[in-house]
Amino acid sequence: MYKAVLFDLDGTLLDTSEGILRSIDDTLDHFNLPQLSEEHKRNFIGPPIMHSFKETYNLTDEQAVQTSNYFRDIYKDIHLFRAVIYKGIFDVLSFLSEKGIRIAVATYKRNDYAKTLLKHFDISKFCDYILGSDYDNKLSKTDIVNKCLKALNILNPAQAVLVGDTNSDALSAKQCGIDFIAVSYGFGFKNISDAEKTSPVFIAATPQELLTFFSSNF
């Protein structure tokens, strides 16, 4: 029986794609970098943005830092709230809260952005703990998940599950020894087959399917 459920943010709780994609476009324009296809830009959602810019454009460390800092400023100041809550997420969070299940958000979105977004969309009221990445991107996703487990006082990994939409989420769950639920409606998994490769305990094509899973397990 799970005592805690950890959620990724981008592609799991919120569709943040519009704000991120617009911020990427503005950043590429500012630095006169070639524009990318939407599919390629969507691969930027989730991983550290600095790494994505660096690898895509073969930037130096200094250039990658400058580019990612500009992206963060544009995103924070102009596009942060261009996001949509996935239909049914409130039902999932309400159900878990009513059952006394501890809820955390473990995200690679920067910590201050994550907390601002979750408060703006009225999700933070359901959360016992929220943790995103540090400004210097020194924390790995596994570090973030482990810190969430510690904050929730989860000593037995069998008592927690991570819900996410990427291979990175699946890997961090595995490294922390907790179960993983894949959602195929987000950004990372292109289809059910992709999600199946991560050996999740469940795959949800919609938040409603997440609710069905939790309803049958609590």
Side-chain angles (χ1 to χ4, degrees):
M1 175 69 73
Y2 299 127
K3 292 187 177 180
V5 179
L6 284 62
F7 290 91
D8 176 49
L9 193 159
D10 298 291
T12 302
L13 296 175
L14 294 172
D15 180 352
T16 53
S17 58
E18 181 183 356
I20 294 173
L21 296 178
R22 288 198 183 198
S23 299
I24 292 171
D25 286 340
D26 290 349
T27 302
L28 299 182
D29 284 342
H30 179 80
F31 289 98
N32 294 314
L33 294 170
Q35 285 291 342
L36 301 169
S37 68
E38 181 165 331
E39 182 178 359
H40 195 155
K41 286 186 291 187
R42 283 184 175 274
N43 292 330
F44 280 48
I45 304 175
I49 194 71
M50 183 172 67
H51 296 167
S52 296
F53 280 125
K54 183 178 181 180
E55 292 176 5
T56 301
Y57 292 101
N58 195 29
L59 304 179
T60 65
D61 288 344
E62 182 179 357
Q63 290 172 328
V65 169
Q66 291 175 346
T67 305
S68 59
N69 284 345
Y70 185 87
F71 167 87
R72 291 190 183 106
D73 289 341
I74 286 289
Y75 183 56
K76 176 188 66 175
D77 296 337
I78 300 177
H79 300 305
L80 183 63
F81 297 132
R82 295 184 186 275
V84 178
I85 302 171
Y86 287 110
K87 184 179 180 181
I89 284 297
F90 275 135
D91 294 333
V92 174
L93 297 173
S94 295
F95 173 81
L96 294 174
S97 181
E98 290 169 3
K99 291 294 183 179
I101 305 302
R102 306 209 75 192
I103 297 171
V105 175
T107 175
Y108 216 88
K109 185 179 288 296
R110 210 174 81 181
N111 193 51
D112 53 342
Y113 298 173
K115 290 182 176 179
T116 299
L117 263 178
L118 293 171
K119 182 177 180 180
H120 177 81
F121 286 99
D122 210 25
I123 292 175
S124 58
K125 67 183 181 184
F126 296 106
C127 301
D128 297 289
Y129 192 67
I130 298 167
L131 185 63
S133 70
D134 54 312
Y135 188 83
D136 296 321
N137 290 317
K138 291 182 178 179
L139 290 176
S140 68
K141 186 62 178 278
T142 300
D143 293 331
I144 292 169
V145 172
N146 271 324
K147 285 179 177 291
C148 286
L149 294 173
K150 184 176 181 180
L152 298 179
N153 198 31
I154 299 297
L155 304 179
N156 180 358
Q159 295 176 336
V161 62
L162 173 65
V163 183
D165 70 313
T166 66
N167 288 318
S168 176
D169 295 324
L171 179 60
S172 63
K174 181 179 180 180
Q175 291 176 337
C176 294
I178 65 175
D179 283 346
F180 177 62
I181 294 175
V183 300
S184 60
Y185 57 78
F187 308 130
F189 301 125
K190 305 301 181 186
N191 49 51
I192 297 295
S193 296
D194 271 357
E196 287 175 342
K197 295 174 184 177
T198 65
S199 301
V201 294
F202 184 70
I203 300 173
T206 64
Q208 288 80 6
E209 290 186 9
L210 265 183
L211 180 58
T212 299
F213 173 83
F214 287 133
S215 297
S216 64
N217 283 273
F218 294 120

